[in-house]
Amino acid sequence: MRMLLGALALAASIVHTATRTGQVETLYTSPPHQAIAAFAQDGNLVAWFAPGSAKSCNEVWLWQLGGAQQRLPAQGGTNRNVTCGWQVPSGAPVGLAVAANGGSPALLWTLHESATQSLRFDYVLGATVADPTERRFQQVAHGTHGPGLWLTGVAGSDGTLVYAVTQVAYRNQVDCLTSPKTPGACDLEIVGGGIYRVVGRKLPQPIKDAPASVQVAASGNEVAFVPATDSSPTDGHPFATPNVSIEVRTVDMGTFVASVSTDGTPEAIALSSSTLALLGRVGDKVVLSWYALPDGSPLGSVELPQKTAPALSASEDAIVFRVGRSIRVVDVQTQKVRTVATATSTPIGLSIAGTRIAWAENVAGRGRIRAITLAP
């Protein structure tokens, strides 16, 4: 009965399954007092992570637009999982990726402990429509000052689900233990990691020649990544330094596709079958650049406002980004930038699939999914 009531409540909260060109519409509104912590889409699929309460589980929802919705992972009985009772702390965002997977949708999500923990555990979890039981793909941990393993990205597209792990360690652990107050004694460095591919419930496999990375993006059988080149002296989190090369490789074989050298510090990337997009800081400027695949030749660039958020999404024809609550689009052919919508609150998981731009937002204690369809 509880599951039936939940399904009826979800069905009643769905407003539309398709959007009219050029108009922002609400696709879904959550029940009262239920927010959305993460959002992702792929093709005609949308997915979101809904944090629970003291009396209810966290839930991951998958919705085939125009069709059925499914709650993941399986709960109750013998279906013990990490997701249900996980405390989602403020400032520790949930990662979420969805892949249509040839009609057998699959999801990947990451849960992160609060940064106040002396040893911070993070999880890579997943489930599929065919098998909704939670699969724990990897558990990693790092200390307060940084040494250990960091989850640094998750992405999905078509039949591809990937995540990135970076290993940070002391340059000289003996010096740090014996004379920790000596300048430089506890310096950190990147010592390992990689990008891992998830297929079904199998053990994740590293993508050949894909190093530890701080950003990943997927499109079909290709993955783009920003290598991790240094770590913060404050908390040890990995980051990319200026002028790092961004690569695109195939997911299945690790075959090299393209490489792009940056002039500044990369902050976000996006990938489509024909375009690699890069958001970076060059001096005191924020610049969005995009390149043709597979040759990596420059296609265009525009300077953006300083308050542009470090997040991108790309289709064959457009690149989507936001400045505060303002949602904007760059036409990859004309290089024209225009505002297409203004979110009511900070957009979550802003992305484009085909001509549909979608995001989640939380308003008055309820989460909602909104979308706008661009003209072809």
Side-chain angles (χ1 to χ4, degrees), residues 31-42:
H33 314 297
Q34 187 177 86
I36 293 176
F39 172 78
Q41 63 173 335
D42 182 40

Side-chain angles (χ1 to χ4, degrees), residues 158-175:
D158 296 333
T160 293
L161 285 172
V162 296
Y163 66 92
V165 175
T166 298
Q167 184 177 6
V168 175
Y170 291 114
R171 292 184 187 276
N172 191 319
Q173 191 170 10
V174 174
D175 286 353

Side-chain angles (χ1 to χ4, degrees), residues 141-231:
H142 57 266
T144 304
H145 299 292
L149 296 172
W150 292 72
L151 290 180
T152 46
V154 60
S157 172
D158 296 333
T160 293
L161 285 172
V162 296
Y163 66 92
V165 175
T166 298
Q167 184 177 6
V168 175
Y170 291 114
R171 292 184 187 276
N172 191 319
Q173 191 170 10
V174 174
D175 286 353
C176 188
L177 289 172
T178 56
S179 52
K181 295 184 178 181
T182 302
C186 293
D187 284 353
L188 298 164
E189 62 180 344
I190 307 297
V191 296
I195 301 174
Y196 296 83
R197 181 191 186 194
V198 171
V199 179
R201 302 180 67 82
K202 299 177 183 178
L203 186 70
Q205 295 298 311
I207 297 175
K208 183 181 177 182
D209 295 329
S213 300
V214 294
Q215 292 271 349
V216 288
S219 177
N221 187 44
E222 295 178 348
V223 60
F225 51 86
V226 179
T229 51
D230 206 346
S231 60

Side-chain angles (χ1 to χ4, degrees), residues 32-268:
H33 314 297
Q34 187 177 86
I36 293 176
F39 172 78
Q41 63 173 335
D42 182 40
N44 207 35
L45 293 172
V46 296
W48 64 97
F49 186 100
S53 65
K55 298 181 179 180
S56 64
C57 287
N58 299 316
E59 298 172 342
V60 183
W61 284 95
L62 177 67
W63 181 19
Q64 178 88 39
L65 293 178
Q69 309 85 40
Q70 183 167 348
R71 181 178 60 186
L72 300 168
Q75 310 281 9
T78 59
N79 295 305
R80 298 180 179 274
N81 61 66
V82 173
T83 303
C84 176
W86 186 266
Q87 297 297 313
V88 180
S90 176
V94 175
L96 180 63
V98 59
N101 200 31
S104 300
L107 292 104
L108 201 63
W109 60 95
T110 59
L111 299 176
H112 306 261
E113 275 193 325
S114 170
T116 60
Q117 302 292 326
S118 58
L119 185 62
R120 178 176 168 179
F121 286 91
D122 301 331
Y123 291 86
V124 182
L125 308 164
T128 67
V129 168
D131 186 352
T133 306
E134 178 187 274
R135 171 73 160 91
R136 189 184 304 181
F137 290 108
Q138 190 166 354
Q139 173 185 342
V140 302
H142 57 266
T144 304
H145 299 292
L149 296 172
W150 292 72
L151 290 180
T152 46
V154 60
S157 172
D158 296 333
T160 293
L161 285 172
V162 296
Y163 66 92
V165 175
T166 298
Q167 184 177 6
V168 175
Y170 291 114
R171 292 184 187 276
N172 191 319
Q173 191 170 10
V174 174
D175 286 353
C176 188
L177 289 172
T178 56
S179 52
K181 295 184 178 181
T182 302
C186 293
D187 284 353
L188 298 164
E189 62 180 344
I190 307 297
V191 296
I195 301 174
Y196 296 83
R197 181 191 186 194
V198 171
V199 179
R201 302 180 67 82
K202 299 177 183 178
L203 186 70
Q205 295 298 311
I207 297 175
K208 183 181 177 182
D209 295 329
S213 300
V214 294
Q215 292 271 349
V216 288
S219 177
N221 187 44
E222 295 178 348
V223 60
F225 51 86
V226 179
T229 51
D230 206 346
S231 60
S232 167
T234 304
D235 64 0
H237 75 266
F239 63 88
T241 49
N243 307 314
V244 67
S245 293
I246 298 164
E247 286 191 9
V248 180
R249 290 183 176 271
T250 61
V251 174
D252 54 356
M253 302 295 291
T255 304
F256 176 83
V257 176
S259 177
V260 171
S261 297
T262 65
D263 293 328
T265 303
E267 295 195 339

